[in-house]
Amino acid sequence: EKGGYAHFMLKEMHEQPKAVADTLNPRLRDGEIVIEELGMSDDEIRQIQKIYIVACGSAYHTGVTAKYVFEGLARIPVEVDLASEFRYRNPIFGENTLVIVVSQSGETADSLAALREAKANGVRVLGIVNVVGSSIAREADNVMYTWAGPEIAVATTKAYSTQLTAQYLLALKFAQARGLLNAEEIACMVSDLKRLPEQISLLLSHKENVQKFANRYLAAEHVFFIGRGIDYAISLEGSLKLKEISYIHSEAYAAGELKHGTISLIEDGRLVVAVLTQPSLYRKTISNIVEVKSRGAFVMAVTNVGNTEVEKVADYVIYIPETNPYFANSLAVIPLQLFGYYVSIGKGLDVDKPRNLAKSVTVE
Ligand code: M6R
């Protein structure tokens, strides 16, 4: 049942505030992060020397963000792998390696095979899974559930948001166990996490603006998404959301890579979506916007409220509310999901069941 919404995707986008809160709240006790299902003592957490995050599609994109968060806060080296690559590449498993497999369905064939490969090598596997009792949930050593509820639309939205939330919590927990964040710093970041649901609601309430903008781009043939650091991870997801449901060719590029090839594709009227949520990288990405603009691109930017500098260079700016830069993905992805959705329905496509795609990829 679509609960009064035109499509499952729209309904599920609107369920994100609740899904994020439901994933967060059971793990917060008096400002402390408690993840019982992790089954690891602080001592065991301190021993972890390496994390592999393994997943497919959007779940993989949450891992790309989580790498920045784990490395930045907990100072543990993280490798993020596509499950279909990981399982065939003979990865090096050390004694103190943790493998995190992220999956909404818990049935993705390559992710399950990667889990089995890790377990066969005696490595501990933590599943971050949405479907209770699914194969990955059953076979992982420990499971941290994302409480998004059933997700029907092929294009993931609320599961993606809860996968991010679960990984933020883990990174904070690991950072605290390793003595890298004190109680006060944790409390401050937890209060930012608690504000996310209401901030997501605010962004969803501006959906008509995104729809108006999307309607101008129904005939686009190519769209490029650019960003640096976490903004690159956000770009990967924005690009996938658009292409899978609108059938428009889109690509995400680390903004600094543009001049190594992609910029040759920029011509008059080409839409470039630039993501700028990381203050330390603003200046660099702004200079990339200037470069594509001078080749005729039309630039839509997603940035933090207050970063009005961007208005001087971009053609259309969407602002996201203030949060810790590590958590900005949770907010910046909302207008990008809405953009993909409105382009798809504007073109009269079947947004919930795009051609050639299955909700759960149980074959290799
Ligand atoms: O069920 P999973 O999270 O393992 O699925 C992974 C991907 O198949 C999934 O995220 C896919 O990329 C979505 N269609 C993206 O919207």
Side-chain angles (χ1 to χ4, degrees):
E1 216 4 79
K2 292 182 198 137
Y5 289 99
H7 303 100
F8 282 111
M9 185 178 172
L10 187 62
K11 172 175 178 262
E12 289 162 5
M13 284 191 287
H14 280 89
E15 285 170 348
Q16 291 181 105
K18 178 174 186 312
V20 168
D22 288 351
T23 300
L24 206 54
N25 291 335
R27 283 123 183 170
L28 299 178
R29 312 245 168 97
D30 307 323
E32 283 235 3
I33 296 166
V34 182
I35 312 176
E36 271 157 12
E37 63 273 43
L38 186 60
M40 284 175 123
S41 65
D42 281 2
D43 228 23
E44 286 173 301
I45 293 172
R46 281 190 282 274
Q47 281 163 25
I48 301 172
Q49 281 174 5
K50 168 87 180 258
I51 297 174
Y52 284 110
I53 302 177
V54 187
C56 300
S58 294
Y60 166 79
H61 297 158
T62 69
V64 179
T65 295
K67 173 184 166 76
Y68 292 101
V69 187
F70 277 114
E71 291 191 341
L73 295 176
R75 307 304 294 156
I76 305 173
V78 177
E79 271 190 65
V80 195
D81 268 71
L82 292 163
S84 55
E85 292 292 317
F86 182 80
R87 59 181 293 200
Y88 297 118
R89 80 168 167 91
N90 197 11
I92 300 164
F93 295 115
E95 249 182 55
N96 297 311
T97 300
L98 174 68
V99 170
I100 303 178
V101 177
V102 186
S103 175
Q104 187 286 128
S105 62
E107 302 296 346
T108 301
D110 284 317
S111 304
L112 183 58
L115 172 154
R116 290 179 178 155
E117 169 81 10
K119 284 196 71 179
N121 281 276
V123 175
R124 181 181 195 128
V125 177
L126 169 68
I128 296 183
V129 181
N130 194 47
V131 176
V132 176
S134 56
S135 302
I136 294 173
R138 277 185 279 114
E139 294 191 30
D141 296 295
N142 301 90
V143 193
M144 194 173 168
Y145 280 112
T146 51
W147 298 115
E151 192 180 61
I152 310 294
V154 163
T156 181
T157 53
K158 61 175 180 169
Y160 173 90
S161 288
T162 57
Q163 288 163 354
L164 285 176
T165 306
Q167 290 172 94
Y168 300 154
L169 284 168
L170 266 183
L172 286 176
K173 176 85 203 154
F174 286 9
Q176 189 171 31
R178 295 163 78 91
L180 295 169
L181 288 177
N182 61 36
E184 202 179 314
E185 288 162 325
I186 292 279
C188 183
M189 294 181 97
V190 164
S191 90
D192 278 335
L193 287 177
K194 283 172 139 172
R195 279 160 57 210
L196 288 177
E198 154 208 331
Q199 293 174 320
I200 293 171
S201 296
L202 179 74
L203 287 161
L204 288 166
S205 74
H206 297 314
K207 60 178 186 273
E208 277 82 15
N209 295 339
V210 181
Q211 180 169 25
K212 267 186 223 140
F213 181 77
N215 281 336
R216 289 159 55 183
Y217 280 91
L218 304 183
E221 284 178 14
H222 311 275
V223 178
F224 295 95
F225 290 75
I226 60 168
R228 292 167 182 256
I230 286 179
D231 292 331
Y232 171 54
I234 300 169
S235 301
L236 288 169
E237 179 61 7
S239 169
L240 178 58
K241 280 287 87 75
L242 180 68
K243 78 173 72 156
E244 69 177 333
I245 53 180
S246 74
Y247 314 151
I248 293 172
H249 166 238
S250 68
E251 288 189 55
Y253 269 88
E257 272 291 295
L258 270 177
K259 54 171 83 59
H260 298 283
T262 314
I263 201 155
S264 67
L265 295 166
I266 303 299
E267 50 186 53
D268 233 16
R270 182 76 76 232
L271 178 60
V272 173
V273 180
V275 185
L276 306 92
T277 69
Q278 306 296 304
S280 61
L281 300 167
Y282 282 166
R283 256 177 12 92
K284 294 286 169 193
T285 305
I286 285 179
S287 76
N288 296 124
I289 294 178
V290 172
E291 280 160 7
V292 295
K293 281 288 310 164
S294 73
R295 278 135 186 116
F298 187 94
V299 176
M300 164 169 122
V302 178
T303 192
N304 300 324
V305 65
N307 186 19
T308 46
E309 279 299 291
V310 175
E311 278 174 32
K312 296 182 192 150
V313 287
D315 300 283
Y316 184 80
V317 183
I318 296 177
Y319 288 106
I320 61 162
E322 203 183 319
T323 188
N324 186 296
Y326 282 119
F327 310 146
N329 187 337
S330 295
L331 302 178
V333 78
I334 305 297
L336 302 183
Q337 295 170 343
L338 288 167
F339 180 65
Y341 171 78
Y342 283 117
V343 173
S344 175
I345 65 161
K347 290 177 78 168
L349 300 172
D350 186 351
V351 68
D352 285 337
K353 275 189 190 304
R355 68 185 181 204
N356 309 340
L357 290 170
K359 179 64 184 163
S360 164
V361 183
T362 53
V363 291
E364 295 183 12

PDB file of all heavy atoms in Angstrom, residues 145-158:
ATOM      1  N   TYR A 145      20.952  -4.232  12.531  1.00  0.00           N
ATOM      2  CA  TYR A 145      19.823  -3.997  11.623  1.00  0.00           C
ATOM      3  C   TYR A 145      19.598  -2.509  11.393  1.00  0.00           C
ATOM      4  O   TYR A 145      19.742  -1.694  12.301  1.00  0.00           O
ATOM      5  CB  TYR A 145      18.541  -4.628  12.186  1.00  0.00           C
ATOM      6  CG  TYR A 145      18.463  -6.118  11.931  1.00  0.00           C
ATOM      7  CD1 TYR A 145      18.539  -7.031  12.974  1.00  0.00           C
ATOM      8  CD2 TYR A 145      18.339  -6.604  10.625  1.00  0.00           C
ATOM      9  CE1 TYR A 145      18.471  -8.405  12.734  1.00  0.00           C
ATOM     10  CE2 TYR A 145      18.279  -7.974  10.372  1.00  0.00           C
ATOM     11  CZ  TYR A 145      18.348  -8.866  11.429  1.00  0.00           C
ATOM     12  OH  TYR A 145      18.291 -10.207  11.172  1.00  0.00           O
ATOM     13  N   THR A 146      19.244  -2.212  10.148  1.00  0.00           N
ATOM     14  CA  THR A 146      18.770  -0.866   9.829  1.00  0.00           C
ATOM     15  C   THR A 146      17.250  -0.976   9.917  1.00  0.00           C
ATOM     16  O   THR A 146      16.670  -1.903   9.349  1.00  0.00           O
ATOM     17  CB  THR A 146      19.180  -0.462   8.408  1.00  0.00           C
ATOM     18  OG1 THR A 146      18.802  -1.486   7.484  1.00  0.00           O
ATOM     19  CG2 THR A 146      20.688  -0.258   8.299  1.00  0.00           C
ATOM     20  N   TRP A 147      16.638  -0.121  10.633  1.00  0.00           N
ATOM     21  CA  TRP A 147      15.192  -0.252  10.845  1.00  0.00           C
ATOM     22  C   TRP A 147      14.422   0.644   9.878  1.00  0.00           C
ATOM     23  O   TRP A 147      13.667   1.511  10.281  1.00  0.00           O
ATOM     24  CB  TRP A 147      14.849   0.039  12.305  1.00  0.00           C
ATOM     25  CG  TRP A 147      15.503  -0.930  13.255  1.00  0.00           C
ATOM     26  CD1 TRP A 147      16.457  -0.636  14.187  1.00  0.00           C
ATOM     27  CD2 TRP A 147      15.278  -2.353  13.350  1.00  0.00           C
ATOM     28  NE1 TRP A 147      16.839  -1.791  14.850  1.00  0.00           N
ATOM     29  CE2 TRP A 147      16.135  -2.853  14.365  1.00  0.00           C
ATOM     30  CE3 TRP A 147      14.449  -3.263  12.663  1.00  0.00           C
ATOM     31  CZ2 TRP A 147      16.178  -4.203  14.722  1.00  0.00           C
ATOM     32  CZ3 TRP A 147      14.497  -4.613  13.024  1.00  0.00           C
ATOM     33  CH2 TRP A 147      15.354  -5.066  14.042  1.00  0.00           C
ATOM     34  N   ALA A 148      14.615   0.369   8.582  1.00  0.00           N
ATOM     35  CA  ALA A 148      13.931   1.184   7.563  1.00  0.00           C
ATOM     36  C   ALA A 148      12.526   0.657   7.276  1.00  0.00           C
ATOM     37  O   ALA A 148      11.712   1.355   6.683  1.00  0.00           O
ATOM     38  CB  ALA A 148      14.750   1.204   6.275  1.00  0.00           C
ATOM     39  N   GLY A 149      12.243  -0.582   7.650  1.00  0.00           N
ATOM     40  CA  GLY A 149      10.967  -1.198   7.262  1.00  0.00           C
ATOM     41  C   GLY A 149      11.053  -1.648   5.816  1.00  0.00           C
ATOM     42  O   GLY A 149      12.052  -1.400   5.136  1.00  0.00           O
ATOM     43  N   PRO A 150       9.992  -2.309   5.320  1.00  0.00           N
ATOM     44  CA  PRO A 150      10.049  -2.847   3.961  1.00  0.00           C
ATOM     45  C   PRO A 150      10.263  -1.751   2.919  1.00  0.00           C
ATOM     46  O   PRO A 150       9.622  -0.703   2.971  1.00  0.00           O
ATOM     47  CB  PRO A 150       8.667  -3.485   3.764  1.00  0.00           C
ATOM     48  CG  PRO A 150       8.059  -3.581   5.112  1.00  0.00           C
ATOM     49  CD  PRO A 150       8.716  -2.567   5.991  1.00  0.00           C
ATOM     50  N   GLU A 151      11.181  -2.003   2.000  1.00  0.00           N
ATOM     51  CA  GLU A 151      11.426  -1.055   0.911  1.00  0.00           C
ATOM     52  C   GLU A 151      11.023  -1.742  -0.386  1.00  0.00           C
ATOM     53  O   GLU A 151      11.546  -2.804  -0.711  1.00  0.00           O
ATOM     54  CB  GLU A 151      12.899  -0.633   0.901  1.00  0.00           C
ATOM     55  CG  GLU A 151      13.156   0.563  -0.001  1.00  0.00           C
ATOM     56  CD  GLU A 151      14.633   0.980  -0.011  1.00  0.00           C
ATOM     57  OE1 GLU A 151      15.476   0.146  -0.408  1.00  0.00           O
ATOM     58  OE2 GLU A 151      14.930   2.111   0.372  1.00  0.00           O
ATOM     59  N   ILE A 152      10.098  -1.133  -1.103  1.00  0.00           N
ATOM     60  CA  ILE A 152       9.515  -1.753  -2.300  1.00  0.00           C
ATOM     61  C   ILE A 152      10.122  -1.186  -3.589  1.00  0.00           C
ATOM     62  O   ILE A 152      10.417  -1.909  -4.528  1.00  0.00           O
ATOM     63  CB  ILE A 152       7.966  -1.540  -2.344  1.00  0.00           C
ATOM     64  CG1 ILE A 152       7.308  -1.930  -1.009  1.00  0.00           C
ATOM     65  CG2 ILE A 152       7.335  -2.282  -3.531  1.00  0.00           C
ATOM     66  CD1 ILE A 152       7.372  -3.396  -0.647  1.00  0.00           C
ATOM     67  N   ALA A 153      10.269   0.141  -3.655  1.00  0.00           N
ATOM     68  CA  ALA A 153      10.799   0.768  -4.873  1.00  0.00           C
ATOM     69  C   ALA A 153      12.189   0.202  -5.161  1.00  0.00           C
ATOM     70  O   ALA A 153      12.984   0.004  -4.244  1.00  0.00           O
ATOM     71  CB  ALA A 153      10.874   2.281  -4.692  1.00  0.00           C
ATOM     72  N   VAL A 154      12.454  -0.035  -6.435  1.00  0.00           N
ATOM     73  CA  VAL A 154      13.781  -0.561  -6.816  1.00  0.00           C
ATOM     74  C   VAL A 154      14.877   0.436  -6.412  1.00  0.00           C
ATOM     75  O   VAL A 154      15.941   0.042  -5.932  1.00  0.00           O
ATOM     76  CB  VAL A 154      13.813  -0.882  -8.335  1.00  0.00           C
ATOM     77  CG1 VAL A 154      15.247  -1.031  -8.829  1.00  0.00           C
ATOM     78  CG2 VAL A 154      13.017  -2.165  -8.604  1.00  0.00           C
ATOM     79  N   ALA A 155      14.612   1.707  -6.623  1.00  0.00           N
ATOM     80  CA  ALA A 155      15.605   2.727  -6.241  1.00  0.00           C
ATOM     81  C   ALA A 155      15.558   2.908  -4.732  1.00  0.00           C
ATOM     82  O   ALA A 155      14.555   3.334  -4.169  1.00  0.00           O
ATOM     83  CB  ALA A 155      15.302   4.046  -6.940  1.00  0.00           C
ATOM     84  N   THR A 156      16.649   2.595  -4.083  1.00  0.00           N
ATOM     85  CA  THR A 156      16.656   2.686  -2.617  1.00  0.00           C
ATOM     86  C   THR A 156      16.753   4.135  -2.152  1.00  0.00           C
ATOM     87  O   THR A 156      17.466   4.957  -2.743  1.00  0.00           O
ATOM     88  CB  THR A 156      17.817   1.868  -2.024  1.00  0.00           C
ATOM     89  OG1 THR A 156      17.760   1.983  -0.601  1.00  0.00           O
ATOM     90  CG2 THR A 156      19.179   2.349  -2.496  1.00  0.00           C
ATOM     91  N   THR A 157      16.032   4.431  -1.097  1.00  0.00           N
ATOM     92  CA  THR A 157      16.120   5.769  -0.492  1.00  0.00           C
ATOM     93  C   THR A 157      16.246   5.617   1.019  1.00  0.00           C
ATOM     94  O   THR A 157      17.286   5.908   1.599  1.00  0.00           O
ATOM     95  CB  THR A 157      14.892   6.631  -0.855  1.00  0.00           C
ATOM     96  OG1 THR A 157      13.688   5.913  -0.532  1.00  0.00           O
ATOM     97  CG2 THR A 157      14.898   6.993  -2.322  1.00  0.00           C
ATOM     98  N   LYS A 158      15.189   5.061   1.629  1.00  0.00           N
ATOM     99  CA  LYS A 158      15.231   5.007   3.098  1.00  0.00           C
ATOM    100  C   LYS A 158      16.231   3.966   3.602  1.00  0.00           C
ATOM    101  O   LYS A 158      16.828   4.155   4.661  1.00  0.00           O
ATOM    102  CB  LYS A 158      13.839   4.779   3.686  1.00  0.00           C
ATOM    103  CG  LYS A 158      13.158   3.494   3.286  1.00  0.00           C
ATOM    104  CD  LYS A 158      11.826   3.324   4.035  1.00  0.00           C
ATOM    105  CE  LYS A 158      11.129   2.040   3.639  1.00  0.00           C
ATOM    106  NZ  LYS A 158       9.986   1.730   4.511  1.00  0.00           N
TER     107      LYS A 158
END
